[in-house]
Amino acid sequence: MIILDYKDARPIYEQVAEKFKALILKGVLEKDEQMPSVRSLAMELSINPNTIQKAYAELERQGYIYAVKGRGNFISDSAGLLNGKKEELKERLTELYREGKEFGMTKADFTEYLNRLEE
């Protein structure tokens, strides 16, 4: 489910949170599905439970999961989160397009490259 990259400069809790975000946004983890317990995930990944707790706290702060006292953590409705992620990607693409234009790239250059990605 989750594979950590120990060569990655980001903290482990950020990697765990990013992996879960991707699983949630892709629909692999569905609304109201229970997350693995902190203890079981920590054992599975061979990391400190506090690291998992920190990742879960970050996911909850960002609205990806919600906690139910005494029952665990559950997946939030991701429809709004997915739309937010798409908007974030559009903003990044817009910024890349503007930067490319500064260096002489045309809309046709971008389109040609994007078309090759889908082949």
Side-chain angles (χ1 to χ4, degrees):
M1 183 185 244
I2 292 182
I3 299 172
L4 300 173
D5 180 4
Y6 293 100
K7 294 178 184 176
D8 192 329
R10 294 177 302 155
I12 298 296
Y13 84 92
E14 283 183 15
Q15 290 183 49
V16 171
E18 286 298 317
K19 301 286 184 180
F20 273 115
K21 286 181 199 178
L23 291 171
I24 292 167
L25 292 175
K26 291 177 183 176
V28 174
L29 298 174
E30 297 178 359
K31 179 182 178 205
D32 297 327
E33 184 176 337
Q34 188 167 12
M35 297 281 287
S37 73
V38 169
R39 187 174 296 149
S40 68
L41 186 58
M43 286 178 49
E44 182 181 324
L45 298 176
S46 300
I47 58 177
N48 191 310
N50 293 333
T51 302
I52 301 298
Q53 189 62 46
K54 191 170 182 179
Y56 279 13
E58 184 65 20
L59 289 167
E60 185 174 3
R61 186 186 69 75
Q62 294 178 10
Y64 285 86
I65 65 173
Y66 63 93
V68 176
K69 191 166 180 78
R71 295 208 47 232
N73 295 290
F74 296 84
I75 307 297
S76 297
D77 185 7
S78 63
L81 296 170
L82 183 57
N83 289 335
K85 183 66 174 178
K86 287 179 181 179
E87 286 304 313
E88 177 188 324
L89 291 171
K90 286 178 186 176
E91 289 173 18
R92 287 174 40 201
L93 186 58
T94 300
E95 183 59 35
L96 283 172
Y97 179 70
R98 287 183 182 143
E99 187 177 339
K101 280 181 69 173
E102 288 179 24
F103 292 101
M105 292 181 74
T106 64
K107 185 176 180 179
D109 293 333
F110 281 95
T111 304
E112 179 185 326
Y113 180 72
L114 289 172
N115 286 335
R116 278 190 279 151
L117 287 176
E118 291 187 356
E119 293 175 354

